[in-house]
Amino acid sequence: MARERATALLVDFDGVLRRWDPAVAAGVEREYGLSEGVLSEIAMQWGRLQPVLTGQVSHADWMTSVADALAGPAGGPERARAAVEQWQRYRGEVDPEVLDFLREVRAAGLPVGLATNATDLLDADLAALDLTGEFDTVVNSYRLGVNKPAKEYFHAACQAVGTPPDRVLFVDDEDWSVRGARAAGLSAYRWTGPGDLRYLRAALAY
C-alpha cells in the first residue's frame, strides 16, 4: 500500500534553514594562530557537545570549555577566550529559498515545526535572524532533554505539530538524523540544497 502524503513538516535548523559561512571561523583561526578547523573540531567533540544539546550545561559553559581547550594553541587563556567570543558573534544566515518554502507550506494550512539539536541560545538566534513566529512549534533538544536521532525526540516533535508520525515529513542534512526519523515512523528526506524543494513540495499534501 502506498504511503499517504505528509500533512505536517518538521525541518532542521543548521544546514537546512540556517547556513554558516566557513570563512568566518577560518578568519578567526588565522588571526589567532590556530589550525584550520580547530574551533569546530573542538566544539563538536561529542563528549563536549552532547551535554549542551540535552540541557545539562549552558551554551556559555560549552564555549568556556572550548576556550579552555584552546588556551595552549591560542597562546594563553585570554587569547583563547577572545577567539571564541569573536567566532561566536557570527550567528549564521538564513537561506531565503528555504524560508519562502516554509512560509508557503504554512500558508497552505500545514503545520511547520523547527526540529533541531540546539542550545539555550536558540530563541535568541531565532530573534536575531528575524525567524521568531515563522514556525508553529519549535522542538529544541536542549528543552526536551533528548537529542536527535532518538525515537523519543521524534515522537515529541510529532506531538508538537499535532500529527501522527506516518503523516509527518522530516527534512535534515544529516544522514544519521534522517535514519533516526525513519526508524521512528516518519517520512524523512536528506537535504542537499534548494534543488530538493521540488521533491518536498510534491511530498506534501497541499
Side-chain angles (χ1 to χ4, degrees), residues 75-137:
E78 289 188 8
R79 281 179 56 82
R81 285 194 296 270
V84 170
E85 288 172 4
Q86 184 173 327
W87 173 48
Q88 286 292 294
R89 281 197 289 271
Y90 172 60
R91 303 311 304 162
E93 303 156 10
V94 174
D95 186 318
E97 290 185 76
V98 177
L99 182 57
D100 286 346
F101 167 64
L102 300 182
R103 289 171 172 171
E104 175 187 318
V105 174
R106 290 186 80 197
L110 276 64
V112 173
L114 185 68
T116 180
N117 286 343
T119 75
D120 54 321
L121 206 61
L122 178 61
D123 290 345
D125 280 353
L126 294 177
L129 295 169
D130 292 325
L131 291 173
T132 302
E134 294 288 354
F135 312 97
D136 295 292
T137 189

Side-chain angles (χ1 to χ4, degrees), residues 7-58:
T7 57
L9 177 66
L10 291 172
V11 62
D12 182 39
F13 193 27
D14 292 322
V16 180
L17 179 57
R18 176 165 64 175
R19 304 177 300 196
W20 298 95
D21 184 351
V24 175
V28 174
E29 288 161 349
R30 284 194 303 271
E31 181 176 342
Y32 287 87
L34 299 169
S35 59
E36 183 179 353
V38 71
L39 287 167
S40 179
E41 178 184 336
I42 290 177
M44 300 301 285
Q45 290 171 347
W46 190 241
R48 197 184 308 278
L49 178 63
Q50 196 267 348
V52 76
L53 296 183
T54 53
Q56 299 172 57
V57 301
S58 68

Side-chain angles (χ1 to χ4, degrees), residues 55-69:
Q56 299 172 57
V57 301
S58 68
H59 189 103
D61 289 338
W62 176 39
M63 287 299 109
T64 294
S65 75
V66 173
D68 289 344

